[in-house]
Amino acid sequence: MKLADVRPGLALPTLTKPPISTRQLVQYAGASGDFNRIHYDEPFAKAGGFPSVIAHGMLSMGFFGELVARWAGAANLLRLGTRFKAVTLPGDVVTVEGVVTEVDAGAHTASIALTAKTQKGVVTLEGTATVRLD
Amino acid sequence: MPSESRFAGHVGRTSEPRAWDVERGHIRRFVEALGDEDPVWIDEAAARAAGHPRIPAPPTFATCLRPNDPREGLDIDWTKLLHGEQEYVHHKPMYAGDRITVVQRIAEAYVKSGKSGDMDMMVLVTEGTDERGAPVFTARSLVVIRR
């Protein structure tokens, strides 16, 4: 993105992902190396007090990465941070949104506020990103 | 007033370095799990057309480059663990073909009082460096251990 085209309040194109599947959680476990059983072993997750297996929080952080990298370019993402607020379950449809909060013309960077929500409107992640602008 | 963390004596504990090759097939499996269909992650020509010298690593790919664990041997109930926060600072882009060495340290340990009682908080910081020792990324994880 060009500095001249970016201003505070500008929204990034929203990204709505297909429903989370248990297959996807197994794929993510394998690719990421996070083999916590809570993400694929139903009895284990229920024993921990959850209604079913729960999605990796990092999966949704990956959706933030997809949203921001698509907008700013993979090499321009300088920082990505998130706070995990609520669990995401298989079947949930996650939507990620971003809005520019600040533009630093001197440094050629923009700050972005990020939110991930389920179809029920539950905020599952809140984040911030810093990107380099052309 | 929360007590001192029972992990306070382990702050500064650092894992043995671990080296990873950033592999194209690994990146492909990672973006397949995310459902991220941008061709730059899998197609060399698309990556070059987008200005990358090689296939770039996706934003949170650093999570795949797991360090050795500086918490090894600590008395932690792993079923009580929650991931509270995560941050990545990219000092420079990471590409397929890079060899990255990761080292993790216990940076902070403190007790936080919440609605459901005291919780043990631990901050883990992972540094990823390239073959010349130049910093590539810094990852900061806040881990919550429920009691």
Side-chain angles (χ1 to χ4, degrees):
Chain A
M1 291 300 296
K2 290 194 170 60
L3 176 65
D5 297 332
V6 179
R7 63 190 189 293
L10 180 70
L12 280 61
T14 295
L15 176 66
T16 297
K17 301 294 292 182
I20 302 284
S21 67
T22 50
R23 178 183 191 274
Q24 182 177 27
L25 302 186
V26 172
Q27 279 182 295
Y28 190 82
S32 72
D34 180 348
F35 291 106
N36 187 331
R37 287 161 62 194
I38 207 160
H39 303 303
Y40 54 84
D41 182 335
E42 191 91 4
F44 182 86
K46 284 181 170 165
F50 296 103
S52 70
V53 294
I54 62 172
H56 303 76
M58 288 300 299
L59 177 64
S60 293
M61 190 179 188
F63 300 159
F64 278 165
E66 179 179 355
L67 177 80
V68 177
R70 188 166 290 187
W71 186 74
N76 293 323
L77 180 53
L78 303 175
R79 184 193 158 275
L80 180 64
T82 191
R83 188 174 289 213
F84 301 102
K85 309 281 288 181
V87 298
T88 305
L89 303 174
D92 280 346
V93 175
V94 176
T95 297
V96 285
E97 298 169 340
V99 61
V100 175
T101 54
E102 205 182 328
V103 176
D104 185 331
H108 264 250
T109 59
S111 303
I112 299 163
L114 297 159
T115 313
K117 281 182 202 155
T118 68
Q119 73 286 357
K120 293 171 189 154
V122 176
V123 175
T124 50
L125 277 77
E126 283 174 349
T128 52
T130 307
V131 299
R132 189 190 298 116
L133 302 170
D134 294 330
Chain B
M1 184 70 191
S3 54
E4 187 183 62
S5 166
R6 64 195 175 93
F7 302 110
H10 300 291
V11 171
R13 217 168 131 159
T14 302
S15 68
E16 284 298 312
R18 190 178 192 191
W20 284 90
D21 291 310
V22 177
E23 296 168 345
R24 288 180 57 164
H26 196 176
I27 290 173
R28 176 187 283 262
R29 287 196 302 279
F30 185 68
V31 296
E32 280 175 358
L34 292 175
D36 183 342
E37 292 172 348
D38 191 329
V40 298
W41 314 127
I42 55 171
D43 179 0
E44 194 93 34
R48 281 206 209 94
H52 304 290
R54 282 163 286 145
I55 286 179
T60 58
F61 186 77
T63 192
C64 302
L65 312 179
R66 303 228 157 232
N68 288 312
D69 198 329
R71 297 167 296 179
E72 196 126 316
L74 297 190
D75 176 26
I76 294 174
D77 180 351
W78 298 89
T79 66
K80 303 277 192 195
L81 228 68
L82 292 173
H83 198 173
E85 296 174 17
Q86 181 67 39
E87 178 192 54
Y88 293 104
V89 174
H90 299 126
H91 306 294
K92 62 178 191 169
M94 185 159 60
Y95 295 102
D98 288 352
R99 188 169 174 82
I100 305 291
T101 297
V102 286
V103 171
Q104 189 174 71
R105 71 172 189 277
I106 301 175
E108 294 173 47
Y110 56 94
V111 176
K112 191 178 172 187
S113 300
K115 274 174 261 172
S116 49
D118 288 353
M119 297 176 292
D120 290 296
M121 316 293 278
M122 197 182 272
V123 176
L124 300 167
V125 173
T126 308
E127 303 284 356
T129 52
D130 68 11
E131 286 179 283
R132 292 174 186 157
V136 178
F137 66 84
T138 302
R140 180 184 177 279
S141 307
L142 174 69
V143 172
V144 182
I145 307 163
R146 295 171 294 156
R147 291 189 177 171

